Amino acid sequence: DDYVRPVPAAGSPLFVKADQDPAVWPYAEKRLAPVRAEAVEGGTLYEWADELTAVLEIEADRDRLSSMTVYPGESRDEALDPEHCYLRWRPEITGGEQSGQTATGRTPRCAVRYLYIPGPPVRVEALYQYVDFPVKASFSCDDPVLNRIWEVAEHTFRLCSGIFFIDGIKRDQWIWSGDAYQSQFVNRYLLADPDIERRTLRALRGSDPMETHINTIADYTLFWVLSVREHCRSAGDRDFLASIYPSVRSLLDFVCTRLDGNGFLTAMDRDWIYIDWADLDKEGPVAGEQLLLSAVWQAAAEIAGLLGDREAEQAYREREQLLRGRIREYYWSEELGAFIDSYVSGRNKVTRQTNILALLTGNADTTQTERILQGVLLSEAVPPIRTPYFQFYALDALGRQGYYKEVLATIRSYWGGMLERGAVTFWEEFDPSVTGTAQYDMYGDRFGKSLCHAWAASPIYLLARYFAGLVPVRESSGGEERLSFVLEPQLSLFGRLECTLPVGMEGAGVYLHWDGSELRAGATGVSGVLRVSGREIRLEDGQECTISA
């Protein structure tokens, strides 16, 4: 009578043999020699063509290895600063059992672009370890800066995608819910891999009872629910949704323990209200949390509805409607034409972050949206955004409103600005006004900033979504779900545009080729709609159409 039928906990196509240890990940590996070695400051600085996640293998006299400390860096400045270098290793030595014999020293797997080793030169290789996700997307246009941005964003994202979506490869190498949420949007248009999303969502949530926010950050708890919904929308993964639904329900029960009488999410002891690395007014219930929470109640209702839990669906919709009314009452300033960060402090502070979230979560009506666009997002009077993290949301909000030229200009200037600094991966934070060694400083650490961060790969999403114009769609009819798409490229912005993009996560895709006068577009494994030059054309599976401008 006490028997409970077991349910699958997880699975992976990478673990299909009985003798495999699930604690040992089967990374693909490449041996890469440095592209340059330079004698400097009494030692040798080794440089690789790109940043890597690699085990460093050093061959030298055993006596030399036994006294050696090596300094890997994401930047040249970092590797050449032994005092402040974020990582330093004493290689683990194998072979050469006797003094004077040649031996091999290995470091732990780490982020490396440069490596400084004091003393005479030695033989060094990087054993690059990665998950070999297949290439499912390509992008090329007549603007070499945009092409390079796509390439660097792809390399950045691949480095931060493996067992899970991690934030960055040098410092944390950890699963952060806010980073993972944005990674899903990039994954949708680049790797289209559902397994990494499932692994990441399960690992972030953990098990019950839930006693603290995910990553201790209130907004990251909310982003987890939004991530579950986004996964279902992208992958159509009802089995996964059903399996994780109890964790969704218990997480929302936990959130309810943090609500005040207005239904606002408030910070309790050791709760971190993040939103962004910016000067926000965080006194009392913070607007950004309430805006996200309204979207969470909406997502929870959608999830419950998909699974036929009508009682929960209705309860979540009621919470959503009540909260949206309270947000307008407490946080909208008619005088300022914007949402304020806090109604408690009396400072009536207006920031881009809060108003971007208001647009993305549907809390601004048509009139409010226009006032926010003109008075906040397109105004130089409001302090700018300094992180790729919130540039993603800012440009997504502008893209939804059709401000394509502004989005493209920011991609070129912001991410292009990192390229001008010599970036081969995109950074955790970028302030164009900060130069020299100071540009690498973060968290009070001279080289604390991650120079390869998942949330900086968003140009892939932005270029695919708003400029190639691909929107995957899941249509329901007669109880069955069908994958479709809308493809609406912004041809007037390009003299040439070629791309191949996945649709959903079942192996379908679309392609387009624009040479400035003629467009060829087609679909494989899926049917949908092509919108171009005021026309709407049905693209069937396996069909190609040609349109002259």
Side-chain angles (χ1 to χ4, degrees), residues 406-436:
E406 289 79 2
V407 173
L408 206 56
T410 301
I411 292 173
R412 287 190 181 106
S413 63
Y414 190 79
W415 281 269
M418 284 186 260
L419 294 181
E420 290 173 359
R421 302 287 177 90
V424 295
T425 49
F426 287 131
W427 304 352
E428 177 180 15
E429 185 264 358
F430 176 56
D431 182 344
S433 67
V434 180
T435 59

Short mmCIF file of all heavy atoms in Angstrom, two decimals, residues 406-436:
data_model
loop_
_atom_site.label_atom_id
_atom_site.label_comp_id
_atom_site.label_asym_id
_atom_site.label_seq_id
_atom_site.Cartn_x
_atom_site.Cartn_y
_atom_site.Cartn_z
N GLU A 406 17.80 51.80 -33.92
CA GLU A 406 18.41 52.10 -32.63
C GLU A 406 19.02 50.84 -32.02
O GLU A 406 20.11 50.88 -31.42
CB GLU A 406 17.36 52.68 -31.67
CG GLU A 406 16.91 54.09 -32.02
CD GLU A 406 15.89 54.15 -33.15
OE1 GLU A 406 15.48 53.08 -33.67
OE2 GLU A 406 15.49 55.26 -33.52
N VAL A 407 18.34 49.71 -32.16
CA VAL A 407 18.88 48.46 -31.65
C VAL A 407 20.18 48.10 -32.37
O VAL A 407 21.19 47.76 -31.75
CB VAL A 407 17.85 47.32 -31.81
CG1 VAL A 407 18.47 45.97 -31.44
CG2 VAL A 407 16.62 47.58 -30.93
N LEU A 408 20.17 48.20 -33.68
CA LEU A 408 21.35 47.85 -34.46
C LEU A 408 22.53 48.78 -34.14
O LEU A 408 23.68 48.33 -34.03
CB LEU A 408 21.01 47.92 -35.95
CG LEU A 408 21.83 47.04 -36.89
CD1 LEU A 408 21.75 45.58 -36.48
CD2 LEU A 408 21.35 47.21 -38.33
N ALA A 409 22.23 50.06 -33.97
CA ALA A 409 23.29 51.02 -33.64
C ALA A 409 23.92 50.69 -32.29
O ALA A 409 25.14 50.81 -32.12
CB ALA A 409 22.73 52.44 -33.64
N THR A 410 23.11 50.28 -31.32
CA THR A 410 23.65 49.95 -30.00
C THR A 410 24.47 48.67 -30.04
O THR A 410 25.52 48.56 -29.39
CB THR A 410 22.51 49.81 -28.97
OG1 THR A 410 21.79 51.05 -28.90
CG2 THR A 410 23.06 49.48 -27.59
N ILE A 411 24.01 47.68 -30.79
CA ILE A 411 24.80 46.45 -30.94
C ILE A 411 26.18 46.80 -31.51
O ILE A 411 27.21 46.35 -31.00
CB ILE A 411 24.08 45.43 -31.85
CG1 ILE A 411 22.81 44.91 -31.17
CG2 ILE A 411 25.02 44.27 -32.18
CD1 ILE A 411 21.96 44.02 -32.06
N ARG A 412 26.19 47.62 -32.55
CA ARG A 412 27.47 48.00 -33.17
C ARG A 412 28.36 48.76 -32.19
O ARG A 412 29.57 48.52 -32.11
CB ARG A 412 27.22 48.87 -34.41
CG ARG A 412 26.67 48.12 -35.61
CD ARG A 412 26.71 49.03 -36.83
NE ARG A 412 26.19 48.39 -38.03
CZ ARG A 412 25.01 48.67 -38.56
NH1 ARG A 412 24.22 49.57 -38.00
NH2 ARG A 412 24.62 48.05 -39.66
N SER A 413 27.78 49.71 -31.46
CA SER A 413 28.61 50.58 -30.61
C SER A 413 29.01 49.90 -29.31
O SER A 413 30.16 50.01 -28.88
CB SER A 413 27.87 51.89 -30.31
OG SER A 413 26.69 51.64 -29.56
N TYR A 414 28.09 49.17 -28.68
CA TYR A 414 28.37 48.59 -27.36
C TYR A 414 29.23 47.33 -27.48
O TYR A 414 30.34 47.26 -26.94
CB TYR A 414 27.07 48.29 -26.63
CG TYR A 414 27.26 47.92 -25.18
CD1 TYR A 414 27.49 48.90 -24.21
CD2 TYR A 414 27.23 46.59 -24.77
CE1 TYR A 414 27.67 48.56 -22.87
CE2 TYR A 414 27.41 46.25 -23.43
CZ TYR A 414 27.63 47.23 -22.50
OH TYR A 414 27.82 46.90 -21.17
N TRP A 415 28.75 46.34 -28.23
CA TRP A 415 29.56 45.13 -28.41
C TRP A 415 30.75 45.40 -29.32
O TRP A 415 31.82 44.86 -29.10
CB TRP A 415 28.68 44.00 -28.93
CG TRP A 415 27.86 43.35 -27.83
CD1 TRP A 415 28.23 42.28 -27.07
CD2 TRP A 415 26.57 43.75 -27.35
NE1 TRP A 415 27.25 41.97 -26.15
CE2 TRP A 415 26.21 42.86 -26.31
CE3 TRP A 415 25.67 44.74 -27.71
CZ2 TRP A 415 25.00 42.95 -25.63
CZ3 TRP A 415 24.46 44.85 -27.03
CH2 TRP A 415 24.15 43.96 -26.01
N GLY A 416 30.54 46.26 -30.32
CA GLY A 416 31.66 46.67 -31.15
C GLY A 416 32.73 47.40 -30.36
O GLY A 416 33.92 47.31 -30.67
N GLY A 417 32.29 48.13 -29.31
CA GLY A 417 33.24 48.82 -28.44
C GLY A 417 34.14 47.85 -27.71
O GLY A 417 35.33 48.13 -27.49
N MET A 418 33.61 46.69 -27.32
CA MET A 418 34.45 45.67 -26.68
C MET A 418 35.44 45.09 -27.69
O MET A 418 36.61 44.83 -27.36
CB MET A 418 33.58 44.56 -26.08
CG MET A 418 32.90 44.96 -24.77
SD MET A 418 32.00 43.59 -23.98
CE MET A 418 30.32 43.96 -24.49
N LEU A 419 34.99 44.91 -28.93
CA LEU A 419 35.91 44.41 -29.96
C LEU A 419 37.07 45.38 -30.17
O LEU A 419 38.22 44.96 -30.35
CB LEU A 419 35.16 44.21 -31.28
CG LEU A 419 34.08 43.12 -31.31
CD1 LEU A 419 33.47 43.04 -32.70
CD2 LEU A 419 34.64 41.76 -30.89
N GLU A 420 36.77 46.67 -30.13
CA GLU A 420 37.82 47.68 -30.30
C GLU A 420 38.85 47.61 -29.18
O GLU A 420 40.00 48.01 -29.36
CB GLU A 420 37.20 49.07 -30.37
CG GLU A 420 36.41 49.33 -31.64
CD GLU A 420 35.68 50.64 -31.61
OE1 GLU A 420 35.77 51.36 -30.57
OE2 GLU A 420 35.01 50.97 -32.61
N ARG A 421 38.44 47.08 -28.01
CA ARG A 421 39.38 46.91 -26.89
C ARG A 421 40.15 45.59 -27.00
O ARG A 421 40.90 45.24 -26.10
CB ARG A 421 38.63 46.95 -25.56
CG ARG A 421 37.84 48.23 -25.30
CD ARG A 421 38.72 49.41 -24.97
NE ARG A 421 37.94 50.63 -24.80
CZ ARG A 421 37.42 51.04 -23.64
NH1 ARG A 421 37.61 50.32 -22.54
NH2 ARG A 421 36.72 52.16 -23.58
N GLY A 422 39.92 44.85 -28.09
CA GLY A 422 40.63 43.60 -28.28
C GLY A 422 39.91 42.38 -27.74
O GLY A 422 40.51 41.30 -27.64
N ALA A 423 38.63 42.50 -27.43
CA ALA A 423 37.87 41.38 -26.87
C ALA A 423 37.76 40.24 -27.87
O ALA A 423 37.51 40.46 -29.06
CB ALA A 423 36.48 41.85 -26.46
N VAL A 424 37.97 39.00 -27.40
CA VAL A 424 37.72 37.81 -28.21
C VAL A 424 36.54 37.03 -27.66
O VAL A 424 36.09 36.05 -28.25
CB VAL A 424 38.97 36.90 -28.28
CG1 VAL A 424 40.10 37.60 -29.02
CG2 VAL A 424 39.42 36.47 -26.88
N THR A 425 36.06 37.45 -26.48
CA THR A 425 34.79 37.01 -25.90
C THR A 425 34.17 38.26 -25.28
O THR A 425 34.86 39.25 -25.03
CB THR A 425 35.01 35.94 -24.81
OG1 THR A 425 36.03 36.38 -23.91
CG2 THR A 425 35.41 34.59 -25.41
N PHE A 426 32.88 38.21 -25.01
CA PHE A 426 32.21 39.40 -24.51
C PHE A 426 32.10 39.39 -22.98
O PHE A 426 31.98 38.35 -22.36
CB PHE A 426 30.84 39.56 -25.16
CG PHE A 426 30.92 39.99 -26.60
CD1 PHE A 426 30.21 39.33 -27.59
CD2 PHE A 426 31.73 41.06 -26.96
CE1 PHE A 426 30.29 39.73 -28.92
CE2 PHE A 426 31.82 41.46 -28.29
CZ PHE A 426 31.10 40.79 -29.26
N TRP A 427 32.13 40.60 -22.41
CA TRP A 427 32.40 40.81 -21.00
C TRP A 427 31.14 40.88 -20.15
O TRP A 427 30.05 41.16 -20.62
CB TRP A 427 33.20 42.10 -20.82
CG TRP A 427 34.47 42.17 -21.60
CD1 TRP A 427 35.06 41.16 -22.33
CD2 TRP A 427 35.32 43.31 -21.74
NE1 TRP A 427 36.23 41.61 -22.89
CE2 TRP A 427 36.41 42.93 -22.56
CE3 TRP A 427 35.27 44.61 -21.24
CZ2 TRP A 427 37.44 43.81 -22.89
CZ3 TRP A 427 36.30 45.49 -21.57
CH2 TRP A 427 37.37 45.09 -22.39
N GLU A 428 31.37 40.70 -18.85
CA GLU A 428 30.30 40.79 -17.84
C GLU A 428 29.76 42.21 -17.71
O GLU A 428 28.58 42.42 -17.46
CB GLU A 428 30.88 40.32 -16.50
CG GLU A 428 29.94 40.40 -15.33
CD GLU A 428 30.60 39.92 -14.05
OE1 GLU A 428 31.85 39.79 -14.01
OE2 GLU A 428 29.87 39.67 -13.07
N GLU A 429 30.63 43.17 -17.89
CA GLU A 429 30.27 44.59 -17.76
C GLU A 429 31.19 45.39 -18.66
O GLU A 429 32.36 45.05 -18.83
CB GLU A 429 30.41 45.03 -16.29
CG GLU A 429 29.94 46.45 -15.99
CD GLU A 429 31.09 47.46 -16.00
OE1 GLU A 429 32.26 47.05 -16.20
OE2 GLU A 429 30.81 48.66 -15.82
N PHE A 430 30.63 46.45 -19.28
CA PHE A 430 31.46 47.28 -20.15
C PHE A 430 31.00 48.73 -20.05
O PHE A 430 29.86 49.06 -20.36
CB PHE A 430 31.36 46.80 -21.59
CG PHE A 430 32.12 47.68 -22.57
CD1 PHE A 430 33.47 47.94 -22.39
CD2 PHE A 430 31.47 48.24 -23.66
CE1 PHE A 430 34.16 48.75 -23.29
CE2 PHE A 430 32.15 49.05 -24.56
CZ PHE A 430 33.50 49.31 -24.38
N ASP A 431 31.92 49.56 -19.57
CA ASP A 431 31.69 51.00 -19.51
C ASP A 431 32.70 51.64 -20.45
O ASP A 431 33.90 51.65 -20.17
CB ASP A 431 31.89 51.50 -18.08
CG ASP A 431 31.63 52.99 -17.93
OD1 ASP A 431 31.57 53.70 -18.96
OD2 ASP A 431 31.48 53.47 -16.79
N PRO A 432 32.24 52.15 -21.60
CA PRO A 432 33.18 52.70 -22.59
C PRO A 432 34.06 53.83 -22.07
O PRO A 432 35.11 54.09 -22.64
CB PRO A 432 32.25 53.21 -23.70
CG PRO A 432 30.99 52.42 -23.55
CD PRO A 432 30.84 52.20 -22.07
N SER A 433 33.63 54.47 -20.97
CA SER A 433 34.41 55.59 -20.45
C SER A 433 35.59 55.14 -19.59
O SER A 433 36.45 55.95 -19.24
CB SER A 433 33.52 56.51 -19.61
OG SER A 433 33.08 55.87 -18.43
N VAL A 434 35.65 53.85 -19.25
CA VAL A 434 36.74 53.33 -18.40
C VAL A 434 37.75 52.61 -19.28
O VAL A 434 37.38 51.73 -20.08
CB VAL A 434 36.18 52.37 -17.34
CG1 VAL A 434 37.31 51.83 -16.46
CG2 VAL A 434 35.14 53.07 -16.48
N THR A 435 39.02 52.95 -19.14
CA THR A 435 40.06 52.37 -19.98
C THR A 435 41.20 51.81 -19.12
O THR A 435 41.17 51.92 -17.89
CB THR A 435 40.62 53.43 -20.95
OG1 THR A 435 41.16 54.52 -20.18
CG2 THR A 435 39.53 53.95 -21.87
N GLY A 436 42.20 51.26 -19.79
CA GLY A 436 43.37 50.74 -19.08
C GLY A 436 43.02 49.56 -18.19
O GLY A 436 42.01 48.89 -18.35
#
